[in-house]
Amino acid sequence: IYILATLVFSLFLSSLMVLAYYITDMDFKYIFICVAGGTVGAVFSILQRNNEISFDSQIPNKYIYLQASFTVMLGSISGGLVYIMSMSDLALTFANKNIYSLVLISIVSGFSERMIPELFGKIEGAN
């Protein structure tokens, strides 16, 4: 149930982000593609940890759906933060002119839950 809910929620969120990318004409519309990339990375993370995930059979399904949605949202937020950090010249400045690099890093950040907190720690330590 958890994996299926994650796939459905990520498909929904990614579709919304790609649609927002094509509809908007804002200067920062690439953030939508990076958010979708983070969502895809979160799905890869769930599929990779498939054997390690265990749930109590007494837990109602609504909590499993909630956890699946939070996992996908955390990955999508990571993807959006990669875009913001790259464009702000705080970190990842090598990728701010190349959307393909940004999407690839967004997928990796959605896959790795620790990438963004560690990057914040390095920025904080540098300042």
Side-chain angles (χ1 to χ4, degrees):
I1 293 173
Y2 178 65
I3 294 171
L4 182 62
T6 302
L7 289 172
V8 168
F9 190 71
S10 64
L11 182 65
F12 175 73
L13 187 61
S14 294
S15 299
L16 278 177
M17 290 298 112
V18 170
L19 181 67
Y21 170 79
Y22 283 113
I23 288 176
T24 61
D25 58 350
M26 298 182 289
D27 292 337
F28 59 93
K29 70 180 189 175
Y30 290 130
I31 194 168
F32 299 125
I33 298 298
C34 289
V35 168
T39 303
V40 169
V43 170
F44 285 147
S45 175
I46 294 299
L47 292 176
Q48 189 259 344
R49 292 183 298 145
N50 186 17
N51 295 334
E52 300 171 9
I53 298 173
S54 62
F55 289 101
D56 185 11
S57 61
Q58 304 296 327
I59 296 176
N61 286 345
K62 65 181 177 180
Y63 294 116
I64 295 173
Y65 298 142
L66 191 63
Q67 184 175 359
S69 66
F70 282 145
T71 302
V72 171
M73 283 192 289
L74 180 64
S76 64
I77 290 169
S78 295
L81 286 175
V82 163
Y83 177 81
I84 291 170
M85 280 192 257
S86 175
M87 292 301 142
S88 67
D89 290 335
L90 286 175
L92 307 170
T93 56
F94 65 91
N96 63 1
K97 302 289 186 225
N98 189 347
I99 188 62
Y100 301 110
S101 297
L102 279 174
V103 171
L104 185 62
I105 295 170
S106 296
I107 291 171
V108 170
S109 73
F111 181 77
S112 170
E113 295 99 15
R114 296 298 311 156
M115 180 182 175
I116 295 300
E118 287 174 4
L119 194 57
F120 279 147
K122 288 179 183 176
I123 291 171
E124 183 181 17
N127 289 333

